[in-house]
Each structure stands twice: as structure tokens, then as C-alpha cells.
Amino acid sequence: EILREQLKSRNIRTYVTVDAGYFEALEVNTFVSLMRIIDHAHQDIPLAAVMKSALCGFTSDELVCIRAFAGVDTAFCDAVRLYEAEGPDRELRKKVESFLKDYEAIRSMNLNRDIDRVIEAIYDRTGFYLYCAALPGGERRASNLDMLMTYAAQYEAGQSSGLFSFVRYIEQ
């Protein structure tokens, strides 16, 4: 990264080839977790990761409150829904309600085609792209998110399409 910045300061263009670490980048990992829960809601770890991320902004304490309210025998996705309906902390309940409203709006999109457009619409709806671009290393982070859209477009140019298939492809 330092070398890249030095080259950039001298107006020397650079590019980086993608390796396996690409999918471990925070912004990509977070967004892939979001796609996983959009594809299949009952995935507790990706759900907690998305809720804790900058996409949603839940604190660890809030996630613990949601979990504790529903009990350990309840799936976390069910705990979130239960907390929205009956949780004792009104402010946290509103936050959960807002998250679920956005989540359901995203799930209501046509997820069976034009996944790159769906990704772009999610970037716009959540502000996640702009948030990542404003972070330190924002240009690289934005490029990573752009590359995810490019992967989606290339994937759909092949024989498969839809969010379900694309998520499976990314996981492999």
C-alpha cells in the first residue's frame, strides 16, 4: 500500500491483481455476508456480522441484548424478529425495526437476474459504497466493491444467474 501511494504521488498508475485475500477485505466480506442473508435468512453468523457492521451499526451490547431476550435456544434471526415485536428497549426495538424494513425491501427486489444492478441498488439504498469510499484507503475499498459488481456481471454473462447461484459461486 505504501509503495502504491508513492507511485501514485508521482502520477504512475498502478493496478493490483485480485488474489484470495480480496474476499477477506472488510467491505467485500461484509457485503457478501449481506448477500448470504438476503439469499437465506437463517444464517446467524452472517446476520450478526451484517448487523454489527457499518451497514447497520448495531453494537455488541445490542446484539447481546437481542440474543439474551430470546434465549440461547432460539436462532438469532428468530431472536431479531422476536425482539422487534416484544423487546423491552424501545430504542433498540426501533433500530431492529428499521434494519428489518431495509432488509425486507432488499429481499423484495428481483434477485433472479441482473445481480450487478441489484448490488448497485443495495449500495445506493444503504450508502455502504459511499461509506467505504470515505474510509482510509477508500479508493481501494470502492474498487473492491466495484469489482464485486464486475464479478456479478461476468457471472451472469455465463449460463447461471440469480443471487442464490452467485452467492454459491462466491463461496467457492
Side-chain angles (χ1 to χ4, degrees):
E1 186 69 30
I2 294 170
L3 176 60
R4 184 170 185 234
E5 291 302 318
Q6 290 173 343
L7 292 171
K8 185 177 176 182
S9 71
R10 292 186 174 96
N11 292 324
I12 299 171
R13 290 185 165 197
T14 61
Y15 71 94
V16 177
T17 58
V18 176
D19 61 17
Y22 166 79
F23 291 104
E24 298 306 315
L26 178 65
E27 61 279 0
V28 174
N29 198 312
T30 299
F31 203 80
V32 169
S33 289
L34 176 62
M35 290 191 305
R36 284 182 178 128
I37 65 169
I38 291 168
D39 175 48
H40 186 305
H42 283 78
Q43 298 187 65
D44 290 352
I45 293 171
L47 176 58
V50 167
M51 291 178 74
K52 179 88 168 82
S53 76
L55 269 169
C56 303
F58 284 84
T59 67
S60 296
D61 288 344
E62 289 170 330
L63 297 180
V64 167
C65 286
I66 292 167
R67 161 55 66 215
F69 178 73
V72 295
D73 293 333
T74 305
F76 188 66
C77 62
D78 295 332
V80 170
R81 298 248 181 226
L82 182 61
Y83 201 94
E84 176 196 25
E86 303 172 16
D89 181 331
R90 182 178 144 116
E91 291 302 312
L92 180 54
R93 217 172 46 241
K94 282 183 179 183
K95 194 172 182 178
V96 169
E97 182 181 331
S98 176
F99 162 71
L100 290 173
K101 179 181 174 189
D102 286 342
Y103 170 75
E104 291 302 330
I106 292 168
R107 287 201 70 189
S108 71
M109 294 177 183
N110 181 357
L111 304 174
N112 292 318
R113 36 181 273 149
D114 300 328
I115 296 305
D116 58 323
R117 291 186 187 153
V118 169
I119 291 171
E120 185 175 28
I122 295 169
Y123 289 166
D124 291 344
R125 179 175 184 86
T126 62
F128 188 65
Y129 185 94
L130 294 175
Y131 170 81
C132 289
L135 291 173
E139 186 177 326
R140 177 184 46 80
R141 293 175 190 278
S143 293
N144 285 343
L145 293 173
D146 289 338
M147 186 158 303
L148 190 60
M149 283 180 33
T150 300
Y151 282 156
Q154 289 172 348
Y155 180 75
E156 287 212 314
Q159 294 180 2
S160 297
S161 66
L163 183 69
F164 175 81
S165 298
F166 182 63
V167 169
R168 295 304 161 280
Y169 171 74
I170 292 295
E171 287 174 343
Q172 293 174 356

